[in-house]
Amino acid sequence: VTNLRDLRAGVRVTAGTDAARIELVGWVDWSRSLLYLDVGGPGAGAERGLLQKSGPVLVIRPDPAAVPTPAAPPLMPPADRWRLHRLAPGAHLAPVLDLLLDLAADRPDPTWTAPSSGARWLARDAVPAGPLDVIQAPLPPGTPAASTAPGTPSAAAPAADGQTRYWLDQDARLHKLVTRLPDAGPVTMIFNRADRPTLRPVDALGGRPGLPRALTDAEQRRLDRLPARLRAQGGATVTLTAPMGTDTNLRGAGWLSWTARTAYLAVADLGVPDRRTLLRRDAAGLARADLPAVAAGGGTAEAPARPPLPAPAGTWRVTRPGGDDLNTLIDAAVTAGSVGHRGTAVRIRDDVAAGRTVDVIEAGPANARLRYWIDRGDGSLRRLELRTDAGTWAHLDLHPAVVPRLAANPRPSAPKSSAPRPGAR
């Protein structure tokens, strides 16, 4: 309960031993179920680098070349290279992250520290912050039981028997925890109760949460005028960042025309860096073609180049508008502002895009929430975000530009038939 009341704390964690050891440095925000950590140590593997976790959603910014010893992450997270990530089954990082978030509750649980649970006072410890009581007690309800597998070496003598120890001050603030976790082994967590900065979730997790409220008259007018303003603007270059699933992290670049209601993008999947998907959207639907990266504009998977002009011939698959999250986002961008939002939209916060102050306005049905980043000065659309099925936010950044004329999508040819035409003799 004290952790939840204090909102946040700095944290340093060591889990595992020898080549499997991982080290975490950063912060935990119990009030928002948010972690922001630098992951290091010899056992960091694919997770080496920066990590944020919001509830069940985990995103990482991998840095294989990072030094083995982690340091506190930058308070303003880098904007690029974040991707949705899935921990491998049995990964020893997973129970550690879960335990960090589970160390807070909105009310005491009397069964947790009842005499029958084995909870007891052990000793008094002296630290620069003041005297601490060392208490043995079970792990919080809902966390994995402490591992007592025989033969597993311990990283800390106070937990050599596998029991969990808590170092608490006189105000019930947790300063240290030592335990064992399944798949992780010995774990030591040290908390800095004075290190409590406000954390900023990265864009994939929705950015700063803000304080949602109804639109003012000026904000509603800007939203109402958005369709006409975009048509007058003509078009924009677009950059796509879309963590659509744990195995699908998309990046893209291209053009969008509001006058012709068309879009043309080259999209890369970080998991398949040598391939591109070309997307062409018009009023009839969305056409896709898969090509080698060099034939689709080049660039890197993290920053693909815009698609080639004219669009290359090939096998184009045509689908109707809507469908998956990517289709929905592109359709919403092409028709941005054409669907009435009056009475359903809320302002989330202000923000900055391309050096311009914007109002972030959220609208749409609960299963397809959209966020419009509307320039407070000229009323143009600077970004469009969609909440995906994976619980992340995919976005298109838009920069006003002259857009090349985009040819219509190929149409599927009518199937040939040997039957006589109606009216034929």
Side-chain angles (χ1 to χ4, degrees), residues 175 331 394:
H175 291 257
D331 288 343

Side-chain angles (χ1 to χ4, degrees), residues 245-392:
T246 50
D247 297 314
T248 307
N249 286 277
L250 304 181
R251 305 289 188 267
W255 299 275
L256 181 150
S257 170
W258 287 293
T259 53
R261 294 208 169 190
T262 58
Y264 182 30
L265 289 83
V267 178
D269 186 333
L270 297 184
V272 192
D274 58 345
R275 302 289 294 177
R276 298 287 185 273
T277 298
L278 298 185
L279 301 180
R280 298 163 63 186
R281 195 273 190 196
D282 65 9
L286 193 72
R288 305 176 184 232
D290 297 318
L291 296 172
V294 293
T300 65
E302 188 65 48
R306 296 189 192 107
L309 289 169
T315 304
W316 290 86
R317 309 182 308 278
V318 180
T319 61
R320 299 293 299 172
D324 62 25
D325 286 332
L326 181 57
N327 283 18
T328 301
L329 181 60
I330 294 175
D331 288 343
V334 170
T335 61
S338 62
V339 179
H341 305 294
R342 184 170 291 276
T344 67
V346 294
R347 180 187 181 275
I348 301 298
R349 64 177 188 269
D350 60 29
D351 215 306
V352 176
R356 307 278 295 186
T357 301
V358 299
D359 290 307
V360 181
I361 294 175
E362 186 171 308
N367 61 346
R369 296 296 284 176
L370 289 162
R371 287 182 177 176
Y372 297 81
W373 291 42
I374 300 178
D375 193 308
R376 195 177 291 174
D378 63 14
S380 63
L381 184 64
R382 297 290 174 172
R383 173 180 285 189
L384 183 68
E385 292 182 305
L386 170 73
R387 186 169 181 83
T388 71
D389 290 339
T392 59

Side-chain angles (χ1 to χ4, degrees), residues 55-383:
V57 182
L58 174 70
V59 295
I60 63 171
R61 188 178 188 267
D63 187 1
V67 296
T69 303
L75 273 177
M76 180 61 71
D80 63 341
R81 293 172 44 205
W82 290 92
R83 62 181 69 183
L84 193 58
H85 184 64
R86 176 176 55 194
L87 295 172
H92 52 295
L93 183 58
V96 176
L97 301 180
D98 291 341
L99 176 57
L100 273 172
L101 292 175
D102 287 338
L103 289 173
D106 60 358
R107 68 195 66 186
D109 183 348
T111 63
W112 178 25
T113 54
S116 59
S117 71
R120 61 194 180 102
W121 182 91
L122 296 179
R124 178 67 61 88
D125 195 1
V127 298
L132 302 177
D133 289 305
V134 184
I135 295 175
Q136 176 180 297
L139 286 172
T143 60
S147 170
T148 55
T152 303
S154 174
D161 57 0
Q163 299 297 317
T164 300
R165 264 83 163 173
Y166 302 82
W167 277 251
L168 300 173
D169 65 19
Q170 299 306 302
D171 294 317
R173 292 184 176 90
L174 178 64
H175 291 257
K176 181 178 177 180
L177 182 150
V178 176
T179 189
R180 286 182 191 272
L181 293 175
D183 299 320
V187 176
T188 298
M189 298 180 173
I190 298 175
F191 297 91
N192 184 345
R193 310 301 304 203
D195 187 14
R196 303 171 59 247
T198 300
L199 304 183
R200 175 166 182 157
V202 296
D203 289 342
L205 299 179
R208 292 187 294 109
L211 295 172
R213 61 162 173 76
L215 303 186
T216 64
D217 291 342
E219 291 160 354
Q220 185 66 60
R221 282 194 298 272
R222 281 196 290 271
L223 185 61
D224 292 340
R225 294 170 182 171
L226 187 60
R229 193 171 296 277
L230 295 181
R231 287 194 298 270
Q233 181 179 311
T237 59
V238 298
T239 303
L240 169 73
T241 305
M244 296 294 191
T246 50
D247 297 314
T248 307
N249 286 277
L250 304 181
R251 305 289 188 267
W255 299 275
L256 181 150
S257 170
W258 287 293
T259 53
R261 294 208 169 190
T262 58
Y264 182 30
L265 289 83
V267 178
D269 186 333
L270 297 184
V272 192
D274 58 345
R275 302 289 294 177
R276 298 287 185 273
T277 298
L278 298 185
L279 301 180
R280 298 163 63 186
R281 195 273 190 196
D282 65 9
L286 193 72
R288 305 176 184 232
D290 297 318
L291 296 172
V294 293
T300 65
E302 188 65 48
R306 296 189 192 107
L309 289 169
T315 304
W316 290 86
R317 309 182 308 278
V318 180
T319 61
R320 299 293 299 172
D324 62 25
D325 286 332
L326 181 57
N327 283 18
T328 301
L329 181 60
I330 294 175
D331 288 343
V334 170
T335 61
S338 62
V339 179
H341 305 294
R342 184 170 291 276
T344 67
V346 294
R347 180 187 181 275
I348 301 298
R349 64 177 188 269
D350 60 29
D351 215 306
V352 176
R356 307 278 295 186
T357 301
V358 299
D359 290 307
V360 181
I361 294 175
E362 186 171 308
N367 61 346
R369 296 296 284 176
L370 289 162
R371 287 182 177 176
Y372 297 81
W373 291 42
I374 300 178
D375 193 308
R376 195 177 291 174
D378 63 14
S380 63
L381 184 64
R382 297 290 174 172
R383 173 180 285 189

